[in-house]
Amino acid sequence: MKIGIPRALLYYRYAVLWETFFSELGIETVLSPHTTKALQDAGDRYAIDENCLSSKLFLGHVAALEGKCEMVFVPRIANFAEDGVLCSRFEALYDICVNTFRDKNLRFLSCDVDPQQKKPEKEAYLGLAKDLNRTRQEAEAAWQKARKAWAADIRNRIREQEAAIAATDRIRVLVVGHCYNLYDEYIGQPILKGIRRLDALPVCSDAIDPRLAQLDCLEICQRVPWVMSRELLGAIQKYHDQIDGIILLTAFPCGPDSMVNEMIIRRVRDRPILNLLLDSQDASAGVETRLESFIDIIRFRKELNANA
């Protein structure tokens, strides 16, 4: 059996966990290709206009897996218990895919994570293994190894970023965005590479301990319901004193980001902020010029403060 994983949305959060879990169960996985303009256009054709760019890309990645695997893994994830809820699209994603691709040669595999409805994460993955004809013992062992590998990956990314910050005197820019936007080859990576080309260090908002970020975010706002938005606020609080500016990276028309970003702009007043809104017309239109202007502003402020 070969299971396909779309290289989009929560893949960028759970890649290590998912790939380790399936590998430990003896199941081969195949990833969709990196995002391209053609893949984005395919996603546009399958999605309704109201979908955000990130979810349109997801549908393009699902379509790209047709004929390359027996089943496509699309989990249904509603919330992380008391830590907060996710955007409702993550809960609806499996049903969206089943209906959107009902006439295609695609079968879907899912698990239902909803701790608020007594469907904890661990039991969801153990049930997934059962659906794949694995024993409870095999599932338990695979889950433990997957969780350890995922936790180790988070710690390594935090250490690497903190070391990079400590080792440079270049301008440091915190790029605040969901991991699936930050690391997408087509919409996020060009921005990170552009910052590096301008001799500045991009500091990524996902290099955090999620549980600590939930606590750190309370210093900025205590009433944000979306768990991943709260993690972004926690990243701002964690790295605030180590960075020179902030870029807010949003895929149009993300509802949670449109509210949270406005709040960030109003409450974080002691750092320059650039709000980059990406849409499906052209993910890089005008971005280079705006990045250059933003880095120039930061550089000017630093020189002004140094001479004061």
Side-chain angles (χ1 to χ4, degrees), residues 35-55:
T35 305
T36 62
K37 183 64 166 65
L39 191 148
Q40 176 187 281
D41 290 343
D44 282 340
R45 290 194 297 270
Y46 286 113
I48 60 173
D49 290 341
E50 290 76 12
N51 274 17
C52 68
L53 175 59
S54 305
S55 56

Side-chain angles (χ1 to χ4, degrees), residues 14 34-36 52 65 68 73 87 102 104 117 119 123 135 148 152 158 173 210 215 246 285:
Y14 291 119
H34 289 289
T35 305
T36 62
C52 68
L65 287 167
K68 298 179 180 178
F73 179 54
C87 168
R102 60 186 178 276
K104 299 291 183 179
Q117 296 298 321
K119 299 176 182 177
E123 290 304 315
T135 67
K148 288 180 180 178
I158 294 172
V173 179
L215 298 175
I246 298 171

Side-chain angles (χ1 to χ4, degrees), residues 202-216:
V203 178
C204 295
S205 59
D206 72 315
I208 52 170
D209 181 318
R211 298 309 298 267
L212 293 179
Q214 293 287 329
L215 298 175
D216 290 340

Side-chain angles (χ1 to χ4, degrees), residues 143-154:
W143 172 250
Q144 293 301 328
K145 289 187 177 181
R147 285 288 298 187
K148 288 180 180 178
W150 184 55
D153 179 64
I154 293 173

